[in-house]
Amino acid sequence: MNLATAIYTFDLLGVAVFAISGALAAAERRMDILTFVLFGTITGVGGGTLRDLLLNTDQVFWIHDPSYLWVCIGASVATWFLAHHFDSRRRVLLWADAVGLALFCVLGTQKALAWNAPAIVAIGMGMMTASFGSLIRDSLLNRPPVLLGPEIYVTAALLGSASFTLLAQWPQTATVALPLSMAAAFLLRAGALLFDWRLPKYRDDNT
Amino acid sequence: MNLATAIYTFDLLGVAVFAISGALAAAERRMDILTFVLFGTITGVGGGTLRDLLLNTDQVFWIHDPSYLWVCIGASVATWFLAHHFDSRRRVLLWADAVGLALFCVLGTQKALAWNAPAIVAIGMGMMTASFGSLIRDSLLNRPPVLLGPEIYVTAALLGSASFTLLAQWPQTATVALPLSMAAAFLLRAGALLFDWRLPKYRDDNT
Amino acid sequence: MNLATAIYTFDLLGVAVFAISGALAAAERRMDILTFVLFGTITGVGGGTLRDLLLNTDQVFWIHDPSYLWVCIGASVATWFLAHHFDSRRRVLLWADAVGLALFCVLGTQKALAWNAPAIVAIGMGMMTASFGSLIRDSLLNRPPVLLGPEIYVTAALLGSASFTLLAQWPQTATVALPLSMAAAFLLRAGALLFDWRLPKYRDDNT
């Protein structure tokens, strides 16, 4: 599997898991099936859409290649029929979101670097690609945002984006940069979900 | 009246009714007149702005032709002076929103097709153009979104977008595609408002 | 100091004060340091980013020049360490927001005019650049939006944008247009904060 194929596969996978998380959020609120598809699609392609708008790419990715929309539609409809099998939809939503986070922080950074963005911009773009879909899903549905939850979230995206930026610049590590940095982001977020890892919060007497 | 004039007229009308719905939402929250204009304008041009950004058109429509802004300003100011004549501002808001929905789902699809977007993208673009202005109006003002109300809404936009996509491709029906699909979308939404038509909601034991 | 340098300096300053207001909003909600940086950055560059997307400039300003991101990161981290020294973080947030408002309404108008936008578009763009960062800060953190507060806010942005548009077109006043219109916007907002200036609100019997 060459790099372009790997990126495309991971990208579709990330869109699918975010779409599932969007559809599950619609399930929480007892929406109808079209609203499942709507929120699945917005959540699935939201982060990448903002990334492409900011990078001023020729075409937003899902306009260029509508497969992404079909993936969102398919994942949302499947969620409609399968969601009641899950004991805890909230847990499934959080884990789908974690997989999407890990994939998208790295893919967002990769695309920004491919468009010659400076390192700090590429890292920011990765963090944004990973968190924007989740943010609009939660804010449109008026849920407490996963992003602002107590456990580590943004930090995991930062780890994925920064480690990819670092690894991608050396020929020896470039080939493994993609899976390694995705794994790093996922493991940090998974640890946060399982063991409730947190960064210190702001207190009035801190410093 | 040729096609270009018809599109322009419908477009201005759609912007005006959405602007009225935005100004009425500002009236609900007892805003001042400038905030009326602000929310009228955001609601009026919001959906089309997102459409143009995503399609990467040369210029956002209201930058190219500021008449749209004047229509928003005029409609908002008129709402300020006339809103107290209405018995139920909430009903007027919903009906203005329904007219805007019907016009914009078709016009959004039409513009996307004119920019050579694939059918599924054009349909999605139509649904988004129709619902985005309404979504930001309600989420900025912290109202329960009309879009997520119990009766059919997104489905009406889908009907308008899909029927236009279908009708526009045959020479025999192309000339009537615009009014017919707008009427279809409006009638479905109107029926939903009058007779409380709903799609089945997600339940844990569905399928 | 020539005009370009003045604009760049004011721009960095505006980004910094908005970033501080974003970080202070994160402090209110007891976030961790990365979330401080995230909200500082979104608030700092949000308005200008929307302006650049709408104007379809070649590159969004902070992608072209990452100094803006460093300013946001620096201002957010400084806020983390210094915020507990302030007696009233809410007052500091409002005043930082007021300075940002005054700077950005004029700078947004200036950039739109430089891209040959018509006057009404340039004024709208200035108002939007000034208020969008503040809007997303408050709506993501689920705070009551400063923008929708009872005292004059949008009007101050309108004053800054409109007076700059007016003053910039005459050679005699063009050189002082920038500081004069910024001062006008700031003084109006400052008066609103200090003396609770308000526009009349919508009432059912108005006209």
Side-chain angles (χ1 to χ4, degrees), chain C residues 52-71:
Chain C
D52 284 1
L53 287 179
L54 293 174
L55 288 174
N56 205 4
T57 58
D58 302 326
Q59 261 189 326
V60 173
F61 68 107
W62 52 268
I63 296 183
H64 179 72
D65 174 3
S67 317
Y68 290 100
L69 294 184
W70 291 113
V71 165

Side-chain angles (χ1 to χ4, degrees), chain C residues 82-106:
Chain C
L82 298 175
H84 68 288
H85 289 302
F86 300 130
D87 282 334
S88 163
R89 275 195 299 272
R90 168 127 192 102
R91 294 305 287 176
V92 179
L93 187 160
L94 284 173
W95 284 97
D97 189 277
V99 173
L101 172 81
L103 295 173
F104 275 8
C105 66
V106 174

